[in-house]
Structures are given as C-alpha cells and as structure tokens.
C-alpha cells in the first residue's frame, strides 16, 4: 500500500520527522510490524539487527615480557531493546560497517590489557578465562554504543620466533609421545595377543575339525566293517542258535535216558532190595519163633524129666535124714508131715531148676547138677541136730 512500510525480521525501522521517539530520540523505532508513513513528511531508514563478526589480530606483551600475537573472533549484534537500537542507530546508521571496526578496536585494547597481567602458561592453558575477562571488561562499553557481544573465541596464540611456547610444550609433548608410545606398545601387544588368540582359535578349530573328521571316518569305517561282518555274524549267530538247540535237545534226551535208567534199573533194584529185606525180616522172625518154640519144647521136656526125677530127689532128701536124730512128737501124723515136707522140698528144687533154665546164663545146668546144688545148701539143724516135727 502506498506509504505503508514494514521492516524485515532482522531489521529495525527508524522513522524520522514528526514527533520524537523514546527518550527524546530524533526518530521512532518500529520492529516486528508495519507502519503507515506519510510520504515527503516522514523519512524511514533501516538498521540491521543481524549477527556480525569482528576479527582481532593483536600483538600483546605478557607479564613475563614475552610478545604474543593473539588472534580472536568476536560475534556481536545490535541489541533488541529500543534503547540499544537508538544508541546504535545514532552511531552507525549512516555507516553500519563501522560497527565491526569499532568493536575490533575495543576488544583489542581490552585484550592487550588483560594479557599484560597474565603469564604465557596462564594464557595458553586458560583461554576460556582470558575470553571471559575480556567480555566482562568490554560489556559496558559495548552497551553504550548499542551492541551486544554473543561470544569471543581466542583462535590462536603465537610467540613468533622466541620458541617459548614450544619449549613449554616439550614436556607435554614428551609425555604425550611417551603415552603415545605406551599406547602404541599396548596396542601392538594387544594386536599380538589378538593374533595369538586368533591363531590358537584357528588351531583349536582345526584340531576340532580334524577330530570330528577322524570320528566321522572311524564311524564310517565301523559302519562298513559292521556291514561287511553282518553276513558272517548272522551265520555265526544262526549256527550258535542251532548248537544251543542241539545242546538243549541233548540235555533233554539225557534227562529222559536218566529217567528211563531209573525206571528200568534203579527202581527194580530198590524193589528187589526191599523184597530181600522183607524176606530177611520174615526169615528172622520165623527163626525167632522157631527158637522160642524150641526153647518152649525144651522146658516142657525138662519139666517131664524133673517130674520123672522127683522120686529120686525125694529119695536123696530122705537119705540125708538117715543119720539125723528125729523126734516125732505126734506119732503117725508127724511122719506124714515129714513126708509132705520132703515132697515140698522136691517141688522147690524143681522151681529153682526152672528159674535157672529161664535166666540169662549161656548154658543151663543139667538136672542132676541143679539138684546137687540145691541139696548142697545148709539145712536147718545140721547133720546131727534134731529135727523138730510138729
């Protein structure tokens, strides 16, 4: 639209003419939006708010008196607040390139001042500290001209041909080289160990492969041998089974023959032996019965003989009384009693002889000897004494 102006996002539009701006500024500041500007009566200019940089290469002297060439880069821009825009617009609006030149000069002065209070070792080892101190000291001056510093980077520090920094770095270089050598040795050792481990693994793999191949070959050979021996083994097993069957048959035949022999020989022999034993027992029993019968017959014959000898026994007994002095007190009755006593003695002798014949002696005494033995016993009253007959 005619007379309507809009600034870019990284610009500030300065409108001069008409009423004054903030703080009595000769222009008004417009950022971020457009504004209608009357032609001829109003004038508009644009101030860049984009980032700019300034490079500083300054020769500085340290606290030790050693000259150093320091190279630094400053990143800066116009501040976003209206006050910074007004300050920068009043100073650089007609020649905005002067912002970099002025910024470089400001930082060069502060850089020389701060490096002059430090040693080379501090400058080299504490670059961030150097940059922070330079920023802090230049912040107020930069704000006065409406500029804001975003960063300061120390790019290089050079001592020329003095060799101070080189000498200072030698111990570190030696340490670094030593560490590098150690690291290289460790890497070489690790590489050698890795190679040895790889060689061992390869050897182990080869050994395992050889073992597996050998086992496979052995298994194949065993299978072939078993296949080749299958026929003979089957024949041998069949023959062994035949022999076992024949052996079993022979054993059964032997058992059958043993049973036949027992039935044909042993059993009849046992029957004959039992028959002979029974016959022997029967014969012994018969002979015992005959012996007992004979002994009974002998006793009957002996009794007959004793009975036949009884009158002689009485006679012998009466003969013993021939010389005795006998007093008969009761006449005929007394004589009867004497006779009866003689007969009783004869019977007693007969019983004694029977007992002697039935005892356990080997040979029975003859009847005459038994009678003599009995008659030889002492008699009551003696040979000369009187016999009292009641």
């Amino acid at each position: 639209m005619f007379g309507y102006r809009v600034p870019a996002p990284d610009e500030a539009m300065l409108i001069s003419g008409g009423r004054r701006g903030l703080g009595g500024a000769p222009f008004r500041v417009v950022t971020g939006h457009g504004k209608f500007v009357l032609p001829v009566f109003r004038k508009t200019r644009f101030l860049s708010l984009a980032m700019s940089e300034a490079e500083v290469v300054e020769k500085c002297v340290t606290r030790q008196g050693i000259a150093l060439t320091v190279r630094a880069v400053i990143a800066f821009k116009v501040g976003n607040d209206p006050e910074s825009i007004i300050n920068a617009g009043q100073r650089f609006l007609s020649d905005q390139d002067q912002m970099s030149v002025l910024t470089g000069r400001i930082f060069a002065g502060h850089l020389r001042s701060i490096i002059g209070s430090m040693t080379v070792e501090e400058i080299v080892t504490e670059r961030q500290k150097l940059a922070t101190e330079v920023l802090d000291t230049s912040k107020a001056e930069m704000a006065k001209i409406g500029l804001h510093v975003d960063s300061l980077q120390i790019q290089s520090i050079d001592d020329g041909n003095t060799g101070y920094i080189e000498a200072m770095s030698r111990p570190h270089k030696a340490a670094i080289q030593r560490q590098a050598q150690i690291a290289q040795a460790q890497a070489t050792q690790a590489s050698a160990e890795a190679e040895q481990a790889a060689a061992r693994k390869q050897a182990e793999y080869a050994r395992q492969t050889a073992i597996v191949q050998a086992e496979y070959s052995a298994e194949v050979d065993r299978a072939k041998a078993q296949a080749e021996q299958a026929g003979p083994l089957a024949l041998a097993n069949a023959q062994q089974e035949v022999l076992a069957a024949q052996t079993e048959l022979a054993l059964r035949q032997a058992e059958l023959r043993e049973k036949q022999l027992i039935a044909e020989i042993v059993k009849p022999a046992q029957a004959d032996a039992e028959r002979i034993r029974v016959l022997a027992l029967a014969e012994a029993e018969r002979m015992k019965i005959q012996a007992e019968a004979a002994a009974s017959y002998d006793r009957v014959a002996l009794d007959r003989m004793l009975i036949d000898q009884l009158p002689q026994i009485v006679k012998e007994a009466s003969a013993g009384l021939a010389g005795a002095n006998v007093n008969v007190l009761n006449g005929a009755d007394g004589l009867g009693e004497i006779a009866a006593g003689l007969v009783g003695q004869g019977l007693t002798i007969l019983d004694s002889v029977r007992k002697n014949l039935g005892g356990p002696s080997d040979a029975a005494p003859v009847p005459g000897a038994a009678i003599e033995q009995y008659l030889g016993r002492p008699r009551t009253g003696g040979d000369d004494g009187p016999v009292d007959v009641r």
Side-chain angles (χ1 to χ4, degrees):
M1 183 181 295
F2 180 76
Y4 190 81
R5 308 294 299 269
V6 179
D10 59 347
E11 290 180 338
M13 186 174 62
L14 307 180
I15 302 173
S16 61
R19 64 176 182 270
R20 292 181 175 272
L22 181 64
F27 49 81
R28 290 177 295 170
V29 178
V30 178
T31 59
H33 59 88
K35 196 170 183 60
F36 183 79
V37 179
L38 291 176
V40 181
F41 299 98
R42 304 286 186 271
K43 189 174 183 179
T44 60
R45 301 286 298 272
F46 295 93
L47 178 65
S48 175
L49 302 178
M51 179 69 67
S52 301
E53 70 174 26
E55 183 177 1
V56 178
V57 179
E58 190 69 20
K59 191 172 184 178
C60 308
V61 179
T62 65
R63 187 176 63 188
Q64 301 159 314
I66 298 173
L68 298 177
T69 300
V70 180
R71 183 184 296 274
V73 176
I74 304 99
F76 67 95
K77 65 181 290 297
V78 177
N80 294 327
D81 58 289
E83 183 178 359
S84 298
I85 295 173
I86 291 171
N87 291 333
Q90 289 178 342
R91 291 171 177 80
F92 306 110
L93 184 60
S94 59
D95 189 2
Q96 298 186 27
D97 293 336
Q98 288 295 321
M99 288 188 294
S100 297
V101 176
L102 182 59
T103 299
R105 291 175 181 175
I106 293 172
F107 273 87
H110 290 290
L111 195 63
R112 285 194 302 270
S113 175
I114 294 172
I115 288 176
S117 63
M118 299 176 66
T119 64
V120 178
E121 289 79 5
E122 291 174 347
I123 295 169
V124 173
T125 58
E126 298 179 4
R127 291 190 180 187
Q128 187 60 40
K129 177 182 178 181
L130 173 63
T132 303
E133 290 184 1
V134 172
L135 285 174
D136 291 341
T137 55
S138 61
K139 185 179 294 184
E141 293 184 16
M142 295 293 289
K144 289 181 180 179
I145 59 177
L147 300 179
H148 175 74
V149 180
D150 288 336
S151 67
L152 170 64
Q153 296 294 330
I154 306 297
Q155 290 185 332
S156 65
I157 299 173
D158 187 11
D159 61 350
N161 296 326
T162 59
Y164 188 90
I165 297 177
E166 178 69 20
M168 185 179 66
S169 64
R170 284 176 184 172
H172 300 286
K173 288 182 179 180
I176 292 172
Q177 290 177 355
R178 183 170 60 253
Q179 292 177 358
Q181 292 174 356
I182 293 172
Q184 182 64 35
Q186 291 176 350
T188 304
Q189 182 179 359
S191 176
E193 291 177 354
E195 291 179 357
Q196 293 176 359
R200 285 195 297 270
K201 289 182 179 180
Q202 291 179 355
E204 181 65 20
Y205 178 76
R207 186 179 72 84
Q208 292 292 337
T209 303
I211 291 172
V212 172
Q213 290 178 351
E215 291 178 353
Y216 178 75
S217 299
E219 186 175 356
V220 171
D221 294 340
R222 284 196 299 270
K224 290 181 179 180
Q226 290 176 359
E228 292 174 355
Q229 295 175 359
L233 286 175
L235 180 60
N237 290 331
Q239 292 177 352
Q240 185 175 2
E241 291 178 358
V242 171
L243 291 175
Q246 291 177 352
T247 303
E248 182 68 20
L249 179 60
L251 290 175
R252 291 184 179 179
Q253 290 177 352
E255 291 177 357
L256 180 60
R257 182 58 182 163
E258 181 181 0
K259 291 179 181 180
Q260 290 176 354
L261 291 175
I262 291 172
E264 294 175 357
I265 298 175
V266 176
K267 293 296 183 180
Q270 290 178 352
D272 290 341
E274 183 65 22
R275 182 177 60 79
I276 293 170
R277 187 181 66 81
V278 172
L279 291 175
L281 291 175
E283 183 65 21
E285 185 67 23
R286 185 183 64 79
M287 292 178 67
K288 179 180 178 182
I289 293 171
Q290 289 178 354
E292 290 177 355
S296 177
Y297 178 77
D298 290 341
R299 283 195 297 272
V300 172
L302 180 61
D303 289 343
R304 278 172 112 50
M305 184 181 65
L306 289 176
I307 292 171
D308 292 340
Q309 294 292 329
L310 183 59
Q312 184 65 28
I313 293 170
V314 174
K315 182 179 178 180
E316 292 293 333
S318 62
L321 295 175
N325 187 10
V326 179
N327 296 320
V328 179
L329 299 180
N330 53 356
D333 293 332
L335 290 174
E337 291 177 0
I338 290 172
L342 292 174
V343 175
Q345 289 181 358
L347 294 175
T348 302
I349 292 169
L350 180 61
D351 291 336
S352 178
V353 171
R354 287 177 176 175
K355 290 179 180 180
N356 290 328
L357 291 175
S361 60
D362 295 334
V366 297
I371 295 169
E372 291 178 356
Q373 181 180 0
Y374 179 80
L375 293 177
R377 289 183 299 176
R379 294 186 297 273
T380 305
D383 294 337
D384 296 333
V387 177
D388 187 7
V389 182
R390 299 289 181 182

